[in-house]
């Protein structure tokens, strides 16, 4: 690989990086380089900053240096650091879920005029699932109970297992969670307890700390599962849509607005308001308004509204470098503070909207759910104003984009399976596994991590798994990579799928009745929508009469970066799924902790982590895991 190829496999991004170099902009790619070489202590997890006697590092050869000042050994330090990541991730996901639940409650109480229950069928399904009475009751009353049940997950004072876990898991899995005493009863309590557990001079037992971490990771799951359900109720459950992805989705003749962050409460309103405001954009000399998505709020509006993907996490700055981005409206999470300094060199307005996410010097417009459409319109007017200041000489949009077929919520995926097997849709997948056509199912999740070339691991693992007949679903920035690289369309199947996988696709395409062919990878939505993938594996387990840990299913985060990704990986392990991570996390500094999460976890949960930075080897290992599970199932049968 040349130095240039080491940056990214995304052609559009490479063009923009060249432009950045020409004009002397430093991007996250330059800053990643500047961080090398990494400090080995931090990089392997044996640096402790939990109290201010520290930082303490593990210096095994120095007398007195093999432990922290308080006596914490490497395993305590590594375990504590690891689970504190989980606490961060769980708080981000669950707070996002809480915000949606609160909004839904206010809708039912008639306090918010701009939101409504868009999908009453989903409301009924969720109500039934969690045991809310529906017979003869009004939509508002059911909505209130569902929203209150969700809010109760965060602060209930009595011992009751979390509802979105108990209602989504099968009994054999719930038994594992109970037997290992990691079933949570209160999201906020678990997060707080985990911070308490890892305070200086508290828990030193790495196994106990990891179990506390897993309990909190399950809260992460709960928060995202309810976020998915309630977002579907509010904004609709996505159906297949055709759109496009990559920087080429930014249009020179339009007012371009990127929605970036995670929460659909804002982005949905921006999309809605934009549809009504094309005339204002035209009055300013543009041909209309073009909304594009970055990161997971982009995935949310892609799934439900067919909004195009501009790019994913590592290349968010490059959207501004096109010179044609008039406003970037951001809510929470994964928004680089550097956006603002880049925007300064252009006419681009960075608009922050949430009380817990501000960037010095950027424009802050407090988003108000009570006047959601008005807030969204104000933002769009800012963009239209900015457009008037756009310097045409600075515009260069890479002519690079791919067709995307997305919108595969579990419901819409099953609807397609239903066309092949009307009585038992999930059987379509299981029959294909039992016939040896496909080896199983893989979930791609997670971020970009510039410890490796941008999007390279995502792309390579997927190509390898396709060749090996693995059915693939994806969320988050992984899914966005596939969109840009042409794996979210039918051509991807022709190009990369093995013979068995092609046969399954041929059967599905024949019956699906879509205007376009099905994509190689099924885009299931944002990171909170990893809950949809978990519902899929649970459905498979039920139909196969197995526990989750026996289903030929594997998860991968080829370019994991955020605390949220660590939390997601951890609940996947607790729920029985093998999880590949394509970067070596700061855990390897303790052999004991590393062994717990990569080996012992398998004995206890059936799920486990493995680290592999080489994507070809990683895919090979994933295929082996699927084959092993299939082999065991054949013996069992
Ligand atoms: Ni997930 Fe999605 Fe992307 Fe990573 Fe960030 S946007 S919530 S955390 S970087 S996948
Ligand atoms: Fe050092 Fe212990 Fe404080 Fe950590 S908690 S910084 S190991 S003294």
């Amino acid at each position: 690989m040349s130095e240039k190829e080491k940056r990214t496999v995304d052609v559009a991004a490479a063009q923009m990086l060249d432009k950045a170099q020409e004009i002397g902009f430093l991007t996250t790619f330059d800053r990643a380089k500047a961080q090398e070489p990494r400090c080995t202590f931090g990089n392997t997890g044996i640096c402790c900053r939990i109290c201010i006697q520290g930082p303490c590092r593990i210096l095994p050869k120095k007398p007195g240096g093999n432990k922290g000042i308080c006596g914490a050994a490497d395993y305590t330090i590594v375990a504590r650091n690891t689970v504190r990541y989980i606490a961060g991730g769980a708080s981000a996901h669950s707070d996002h879920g809480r915000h949606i639940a609160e909004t839904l409650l206010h809708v039912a109480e008639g306090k918010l005029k701009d939101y409504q229950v868009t999908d009453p069928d989903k409301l009924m399904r969720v109500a039934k699932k969690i045991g809310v009475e529906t017979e003869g009751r009004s939509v508002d009353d059911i909505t209130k109970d569902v929203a209150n049940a969700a809010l109760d997950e965060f602060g209930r004072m009595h011992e009751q297992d979390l509802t979105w876990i108990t209602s989504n898991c099968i009994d054999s899995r719930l038994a594992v969670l109970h037997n290992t005493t990691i079933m949570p009863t209160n999201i906020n309590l678990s997060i707080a307890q985990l911070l308490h557990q890892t305070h200086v001079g508290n828990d030193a037992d790495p196994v106990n700390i990891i179990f506390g971490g897993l309990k909190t990771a399950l809260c992460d799951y709960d928060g995202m599962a309810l976020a998915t359900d309630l977002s579907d109720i509010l904004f609709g459950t996505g159906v297949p849509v055709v759109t496009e992805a990559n920087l080429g989705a930014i249009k020179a003749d339009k007012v371009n607005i990127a929605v970036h962050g995670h929460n659909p409460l804002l982005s949905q309103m921006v999309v809605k308001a934009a549809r009504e405001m094309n005339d204002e954009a035209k009055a300013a000399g543009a041909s209309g308004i073009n909304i594009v998505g970055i990161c997971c709020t982009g995935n949310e509006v892609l799934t439900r509204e067919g909004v195009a993907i501009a790019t994913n996490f590592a290349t968010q700055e490059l959207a501004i470098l096109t010179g044609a981005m008039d406003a970037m409206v951001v809510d929470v999470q994964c928004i680089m503070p550097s956006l603002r300094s880049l925007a300064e060199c252009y006419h681009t307005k960075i608009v922050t909207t949430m009380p817990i996410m501000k960037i010095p010097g950027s424009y802050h417009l407090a988003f108000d759910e009570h006047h959601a459409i008005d807030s969204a319109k104000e933002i769009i007017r800012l963009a239209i104003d900015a457009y008037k200041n756009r310097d045409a000489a600075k515009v260069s949009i890479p002519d690079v984009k791919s067709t995307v077929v997305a919108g595969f919520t579990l419901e819409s995926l099953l609807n397609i399976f239903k066309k092949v097997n009307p009585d038992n849709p999930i059987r379509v997948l299981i029959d294909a596994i039992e016939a040896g056509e496909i080896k199983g199912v893989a979930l791609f999740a997670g971020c970009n991590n510039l410890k490796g070339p941008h999007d390279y691991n995502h792309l390579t693992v997927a190509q390898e798994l396709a060749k090996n007949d693995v059915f693939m679903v994806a969320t988050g920035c992984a899914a966005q990579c596939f969109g840009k690289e042409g794996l979210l369309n039918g051509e991807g199947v022709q190009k990369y799928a093995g013979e068995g996988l092609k046969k399954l696709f041929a059967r599905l395409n024949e019956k699906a009745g879509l205007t376009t062919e099905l994509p190689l990878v099924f885009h299931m939505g944002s990171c909170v929508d990893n809950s949809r993938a978990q519902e899929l594996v649970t459905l498979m387990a039920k139909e196969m009469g197995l526990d989750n840990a026996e289903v030929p299913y594997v998860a991968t985060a080829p370019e994991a970066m955020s605390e949220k990704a660590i939390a997601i990986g951890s609940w996947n392990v607790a729920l029985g799924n093998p999880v590949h991570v394509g970067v070596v996390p700061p855990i390897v500094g303790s052999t004991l902790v590393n062994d717990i999460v990569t080996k012992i976890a398998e004995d206890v949960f059936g799920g486990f982590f493995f680290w592999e930075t080489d994507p070809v080897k990683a895919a090979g290992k994933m295929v082996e895991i699927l084959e092993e599970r299939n082999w065991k199932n054949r013996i069992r049968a």
Side-chain angles (χ1 to χ4, degrees), residues 132-287:
V132 165
E133 185 58 53
T134 55
E135 264 318 292
R137 302 185 69 206
S138 72
V139 166
D140 278 348
D141 284 346
I142 300 169
T143 305
K144 261 181 229 165
D145 283 1
V146 168
N148 275 322
L151 290 170
D152 193 44
E153 303 278 78
F154 293 85
R156 65 170 152 259
M157 297 315 282
H158 58 279
E159 291 272 315
Q160 183 196 315
D161 299 346
L162 286 183
T163 306
W164 263 262
I165 297 178
T166 52
S167 62
N168 280 312
C169 290
I170 49 178
D171 290 346
S172 57
R173 233 341 82 174
L174 292 175
V176 173
L177 304 185
H178 281 130
N179 293 341
T180 51
T181 69
I182 60 168
M183 176 64 93
T185 58
N186 173 325
I187 294 174
N188 292 355
L189 176 68
S190 287
I191 296 169
Q193 256 174 357
L194 190 60
L195 293 177
H196 178 188
Q197 188 174 1
T198 51
H199 188 273
V200 56
N202 221 42
D203 204 346
D205 176 345
V207 177
N208 206 43
I209 294 170
I210 297 287
F211 275 71
L214 289 174
K215 186 173 182 175
T216 304
L218 288 168
C219 296
D220 180 84
Y221 170 76
D222 195 81
M224 68 169 67
L226 67 87
T228 299
D229 278 348
L230 305 195
S231 300
D232 283 351
I233 293 171
L234 271 178
F235 303 119
T237 308
V239 295
V241 284
V242 181
T243 178
E244 53 192 28
N246 217 337
L247 293 175
I250 297 169
K251 308 279 184 246
D253 60 337
K254 294 199 169 168
V255 173
N256 291 298
I257 302 171
V259 289
H260 178 13
H262 285 77
N263 200 322
L265 288 175
L266 169 73
S267 53
Q268 276 281 149
M269 289 301 126
V270 173
V271 172
K272 194 171 166 197
R275 288 187 182 139
E276 299 165 13
M277 293 175 73
N278 277 310
D279 286 344
E280 287 187 38
K282 283 179 188 156
S287 73

Side-chain angles (χ1 to χ4, degrees), residues 48-51 53-54 56 68-70 72 77 80 200:
C48 183
R49 294 184 303 108
I50 275 174
C51 86
Q53 286 194 94
C56 295
I69 295 170
C70 66
I77 293 175
R80 285 197 303 216
V200 56

Side-chain angles (χ1 to χ4, degrees), residues 93 96 260-262 294-297 299 312-314 316 332-335 445-448 458 475-480 526-528 530 559-565 568:
H93 278 144
H96 164 171
H260 178 13
H262 285 77
I294 301 177
C295 287
C296 281
T297 214
N299 284 323
N312 54 358
F313 174 74
Q316 54 185 276
V332 286
Q333 305 163 20
C334 302
I335 299 142
C447 329
N448 289 134
H458 287 312
T475 61
C477 289
Q480 292 183 316
S526 66
C527 286
V528 297
N530 282 307
E559 302 179 21
M561 171 278 300
S562 71
E563 290 174 311
K564 291 177 288 171
I568 293 170

Side-chain angles (χ1 to χ4, degrees), residues 265-427:
L265 288 175
L266 169 73
S267 53
Q268 276 281 149
M269 289 301 126
V270 173
V271 172
K272 194 171 166 197
R275 288 187 182 139
E276 299 165 13
M277 293 175 73
N278 277 310
D279 286 344
E280 287 187 38
K282 283 179 188 156
S287 73
I289 299 170
N290 180 40
I291 309 279
V292 292
I294 301 177
C295 287
C296 281
T297 214
N299 284 323
E300 298 272 353
V301 286
L302 163 64
T303 301
R304 299 195 181 89
E305 306 290 342
V307 167
I309 297 167
T311 195
N312 54 358
F313 174 74
T315 38
Q316 54 185 276
E317 295 166 324
L318 306 183
I320 295 176
L321 266 170
T322 60
M325 189 53 72
D326 302 301
M328 199 180 268
V329 37
V330 303
D331 48 62
V332 286
Q333 305 163 20
C334 302
I335 299 142
M336 291 190 196
S338 59
L339 290 175
R340 149 78 190 157
S341 2
L342 266 181
E344 209 153 295
C345 308
Y346 290 92
H347 68 295
T348 314
K349 282 251 173 1
I350 306 289
V351 188
T352 60
T353 55
M354 295 289 162
I356 58 162
M357 179 358 195
K358 299 186 180 180
I359 301 175
S362 72
Y363 196 93
H364 188 75
L365 200 153
F367 180 68
D368 174 6
E369 282 108 47
H370 293 91
H371 305 97
I373 280 288
D374 291 342
S375 287
K377 284 190 174 160
E378 211 176 323
I379 290 166
I380 292 169
R381 286 200 183 104
L382 274 175
I384 296 174
D385 270 348
Y387 168 82
K388 295 178 194 156
N389 298 325
R390 193 196 286 176
D391 180 351
K394 284 186 177 174
V395 174
S396 60
I397 305 170
D399 185 19
V400 181
K401 61 186 183 190
S402 300
T403 301
V404 165
V405 186
F408 297 99
T409 52
L410 184 60
E411 287 89 341
S412 67
L413 191 60
L414 290 175
N415 274 338
I416 289 166
F417 292 165
K418 225 181 242 169
K419 304 272 172 60
V420 175
N421 188 334
D423 302 326
N424 195 353
I426 194 69
R427 258 283 142 205

Side-chain angles (χ1 to χ4, degrees), residues 78 167 172 185 206 227 300 508 547 589 603 611:
V78 170
S167 62
S172 57
T185 58
E300 298 272 353
L508 290 172
D547 176 53
D603 300 330
W611 332 125

